[in-house]
Amino acid sequence: MSLIAIDLDGTLINTEHKISKENIKAIKKAQELGHEVVIATGRAHFDVQSILKEEGLSLYTVGANGATVHSPAGTSILSVPMQGDKVKEILKVLDKENIYYEVYSDDGIYTRSYAKNILLDELASYKDNVPEDEFAFMENQYEKQTGQFGYIYKEEHEELYTDKQLVYNINVFSFDNEKRLAVLEKFKNANDLTIVQSLDFNFELEHVNASKGKAITYLAKVLGMDIERSMAIGDSGNDISMLGVVSDSFAMGNANDLVKAHAKYVTETNDKNGVAKAIYRYLDIEE
Ligand code: CA
């Protein structure tokens, strides 16, 4: 038996922010056949569990791009937090910029209560300057980013991190490409960080040993499953590490070219049940 690792946003979840009936059916079919289906996402595990619960799914969860692994019951199996001094150093750099960011911790997603205004101001500046469909996409990304489960709002920068907190991921988000890339440049050469991109307008900083690929390899070992006969599917840069460790790697039809180049197969888009189609192909069964 094997693992089937599925990314969430842009992969299992469609542009309406929903998991289709077809995708749920395919996941349940794979489970019936004895495969272990795993969600592997940049989201925090408590956010994922709240989404899965709504759909009646009970799955292992690789969260924060591989910095955490949890059982379907919510027990921690792997935890790769960032070093405290590193977190402080990063937040100091980010606080100098007027940029939106979130601190993914063990108990919640820490953000400043007024930080959404940074994104709303950015959106407002694009409203009349980009094509309508592009602006609608930006608004959609804003809703998705700020609609996560588990926010903990704080007033001051200094309250976003204490030494007692385990931090798995720092997610930096800006619609302003120039500004975001300039901030990214400040971290690019750090050899003690993993930097990935999961959305069009973000980048994420993590412990150098955290990745989706490493996390699913570890989970397969714990469950006694063969990673080299497993499947992984995704759409973004943060999925490339897991596409590289399995035998059957799938890129979504809506993935970018770089992700497609790292996958063995390209399936349909997230609005056309690309996950279900890939699972049936992997299992070699009819829909
Ligand atoms: Ca994704």
Side-chain angles (χ1 to χ4, degrees), residues 7-11 198 212 234-236 238-239:
D7 168 52
L8 210 50
D9 294 284
T11 300
S198 59
K212 288 190 182 186
D235 74 313
S236 307
N238 62 336
D239 298 312

Side-chain angles (χ1 to χ4, degrees), residues 123-140:
L123 270 180
S125 75
Y126 285 104
K127 187 159 177 49
D128 299 316
N129 298 313
V130 295
E132 223 169 88
D133 56 338
E134 205 175 304
F135 187 73
F137 177 70
M138 287 173 152
E139 277 189 313
N140 182 291

Side-chain angles (χ1 to χ4, degrees), residues 60-157:
Y60 280 89
T61 303
V62 168
N65 291 316
T68 65
V69 179
H70 286 82
S71 75
T75 309
S76 171
I77 295 173
L78 178 70
S79 166
V80 190
M82 302 170 82
Q83 284 166 336
D85 289 348
K86 195 72 202 172
V87 174
K88 283 182 194 158
E89 187 189 316
I90 293 166
L91 296 188
K92 213 170 169 184
V93 173
L94 293 176
D95 285 339
K96 278 193 192 150
E97 315 286 334
N98 184 32
I99 198 159
Y100 180 89
Y101 69 85
E102 298 168 345
V103 180
Y104 286 54
S105 303
D106 48 341
D107 61 340
I109 303 168
Y110 286 73
T111 186
R112 294 153 292 166
S113 35
Y114 58 86
K116 273 185 192 175
N117 294 333
I118 301 174
L119 294 180
L120 290 172
D121 286 349
E122 285 182 4
L123 270 180
S125 75
Y126 285 104
K127 187 159 177 49
D128 299 316
N129 298 313
V130 295
E132 223 169 88
D133 56 338
E134 205 175 304
F135 187 73
F137 177 70
M138 287 173 152
E139 277 189 313
N140 182 291
Q141 295 293 299
Y142 169 81
E143 294 298 334
K144 194 170 83 176
Q145 187 62 36
T146 55
Q148 299 170 94
F149 176 85
Y151 277 117
I152 297 172
Y153 295 101
K154 297 286 181 186
E155 289 304 315
E156 304 295 334
H157 291 231

